Amino acid sequence: MAPSTTSILWFRRDLRLNDHPALLAAVDAASHVLPVFVLDPRLLETDTPRSRRLLASLASLSKDTRGALVVRRGDPVDVITRLAEEVGATQVHVSRETTPYGRRRDEAVEKALAEDGRELVATGTPYAVGPGRIVNQSGSPYKVFTPFSKAWHQHGRPAPAARPKRIPWLRDDVRSDPLPEVPDLSRLEAGEAAALRRWESFLHDGLTAYDKERDRPDLDTTSRLSAPLKYGEIHPRTMLADIAAHSAGRSQAASTYVTELIWREFYADVLWHHPDSAWHDLRPELAKLPYDSGAETDRLVDAWREGRTGYPVVDAGMRQLLAEGWMHNRVRMITASFLTKDLHVWWPVGAQHFLDHLIDGDIASNNHGWQWVAGTGTDASPYFRVFNPVTQGKKFDPDGEYVRRWVPELAHLPGGAAHEPWKHDNGYEHEYPQRVVDHDDERKETLARYERARG
């Protein structure tokens, strides 16, 4: 009989057991598998929807591993190397990380393990097509979405990985740090089973209207799978295979939804090739674009963060973010445009605020989405695009239901009047803040700044 061996499966953005190539590799490599998650203590410094969502997902994963999951707090370089020594593991298995921070962290862990004669083995990624694999005919990466999307479709992707028939979790007495208790944990929809249920429901009942209703924040018709995708509770490869097998896979709605998944893959690819674009403008030609700063700008930014700008759809979105840790994508674009083009604030200020609060905060999608809105990122010529918060609100929240849901001061205004309280309620200023800036004036200022920077 072969001697008993142990491999470590280090979970990160892959908190599931289905369609998990690194899990398969860990099972194949040893007689026992120790599942591990390294918890950054900084994530627990504040009680936010973001921190609660992660803890809920970990609690679900612990149940799925039948209590075998080991949670340790601290620096992964120390935690993983010590655990490998403790259980005698010669291999630590992971899904390949693609973000700048994740790549640096894994390089440091790999080096520390190698010094002890151990190995970090990366298998699979959080994406259907791993970042860096799609290039143009000259071997260069894509900077514009449409040609990337065409190449992505042509590239192909592997089928979902099978789940191991048996997973021999290590049952030795390995110390695990307790997870903090989360209030109303059972009410948080988190974990692989919840993700698969939501996906199944959306695939059969929600997908058909996706192309027509996805821009309506007043309607809860999006899949709400951005958080499960962020934590890897479901793999996009699983979703794409299900869409292809489903009769709806041939519909325009399905095509639109797949395009949104490709945007996620595109932004991850851009970040892979241009790691500095995480916090710096991708397009250097707009490096001279001037931004506002100082005490008055700080006051305006605080009003934006707290949902007190006087523009109802902006304030509704920012209040939803603080309350739920989530915001409809159309409203994300509107609120981002307001900060960058009405308040003339550099996009990283807003991107960081979103990452601090979003339960689905993904640095590639979030930060490049911000650059797309700001006009400094992947779009070919977006500098002239300035979202009008009033017309956007009236178009995508026509009955004002979204605004009244999150801005109760305007609940008494009927229909679309909630988007222009200054026109319909002479006393609105006593309950709801006046507009902090005039959009028409700031739009003109933005366009003038862009023209000067491009010149």
Side-chain angles (χ1 to χ4, degrees), residues 189-383:
E189 189 180 85
E192 181 176 14
L196 292 173
R197 285 195 302 270
R198 174 168 284 277
W199 168 238
E200 187 74 12
S201 175
F202 179 76
L203 179 67
H204 293 283
D205 302 324
L207 182 60
T208 54
Y210 181 78
D211 57 326
K212 299 180 179 64
E213 297 179 347
R214 68 190 182 94
D215 276 321
R216 292 282 300 272
D218 57 326
L219 305 175
D220 189 18
T221 53
T222 61
S223 69
R224 289 275 191 146
L225 284 161
S226 54
L229 281 167
K230 171 198 165 53
Y231 293 109
E233 297 164 347
I234 189 171
H235 198 284
R237 188 172 45 219
T238 298
M239 300 164 68
L240 290 162
D242 288 346
I243 290 174
H246 193 261
S247 59
R250 295 182 292 274
S251 70
Q252 180 58 46
S255 176
T256 301
Y257 191 80
V258 170
T259 297
E260 293 304 308
L261 291 175
I262 300 173
W263 270 105
R264 179 175 179 268
E265 308 248 324
F266 173 57
Y267 282 147
D269 189 77
V270 171
L271 186 59
W272 172 269
H273 288 288
H274 306 278
D276 287 346
S277 69
W279 294 107
H280 295 87
D281 295 329
L282 181 67
R283 299 176 62 192
E285 62 268 27
L286 291 176
K288 296 181 180 179
L289 188 65
Y291 300 95
D292 290 353
S293 61
E296 176 59 17
T297 298
D298 291 344
R299 184 186 70 81
L300 293 173
V301 171
D302 284 343
W304 174 81
R305 288 181 176 132
E306 297 166 8
R308 298 184 291 100
T309 68
Y311 286 91
V313 73
V314 174
D315 293 342
M318 299 307 294
R319 296 183 190 188
Q320 182 185 23
L321 174 65
L322 294 178
E324 291 190 341
W326 191 84
M327 190 195 302
H328 189 281
N329 187 61
R330 170 58 57 172
V331 185
R332 296 187 197 201
M333 292 190 286
I334 297 170
T335 55
S337 179
F338 190 85
L339 183 72
T340 58
K341 294 180 176 178
D342 286 69
L343 303 185
H344 315 295
V345 173
W346 195 32
W347 64 265
V349 174
Q352 185 62 64
H353 181 72
F354 273 28
L355 287 178
D356 286 342
H357 293 276
L358 284 171
I359 62 173
D360 62 4
D362 173 275
I363 192 168
S365 294
N366 181 72
N367 291 28
H368 287 111
W370 269 89
Q371 291 198 56
W372 184 88
V373 171
T376 64
T378 55
D379 205 349
S381 56
Y383 67 90

Side-chain angles (χ1 to χ4, degrees), residues 6-149:
T6 298
S7 62
I8 288 177
L9 178 62
W10 177 16
F11 285 98
R12 292 94 69 85
R13 291 196 290 159
D14 50 1
L15 307 184
R16 67 184 183 281
L17 302 183
N18 288 285
D19 195 359
H20 198 316
L23 170 59
L24 283 169
V27 170
D28 289 343
S31 57
H32 294 89
V33 177
L34 178 69
V36 175
F37 188 89
V38 182
L39 191 59
D40 186 342
R42 292 174 297 180
L43 292 175
L44 306 179
E45 291 176 355
T46 56
D47 180 24
T48 65
R50 175 173 172 251
S51 61
R52 291 195 294 272
R53 180 61 174 75
L54 171 61
L55 292 173
S57 189
L58 290 176
S60 177
L61 181 64
S62 182
K63 290 181 180 179
D64 291 343
T65 61
R66 303 191 302 278
L69 180 67
V70 171
V71 177
R72 293 276 180 95
R73 303 184 190 186
D75 184 341
V77 174
D78 297 327
V79 171
I80 294 298
T81 53
R82 290 177 181 175
L83 264 175
E85 181 179 7
E86 182 179 341
V87 300
T90 59
Q91 290 186 338
V92 175
H93 291 265
V94 295
S95 298
R96 181 167 64 99
E97 187 51 84
T98 62
T99 66
Y101 166 76
R103 291 161 73 178
R104 291 193 304 270
R105 176 201 60 204
D106 285 3
E107 288 171 2
V109 172
E110 183 176 28
K111 181 180 178 181
L113 287 171
E115 292 175 354
D116 290 337
R118 308 179 198 277
E119 185 180 9
L120 184 72
V121 181
T123 311
T125 75
Y127 303 94
V129 181
R133 296 187 180 277
I134 296 178
V135 294
N136 61 24
Q137 292 182 346
S138 66
S140 300
Y142 290 96
K143 287 188 177 182
V144 179
F145 175 74
T146 300
F148 174 90
S149 178

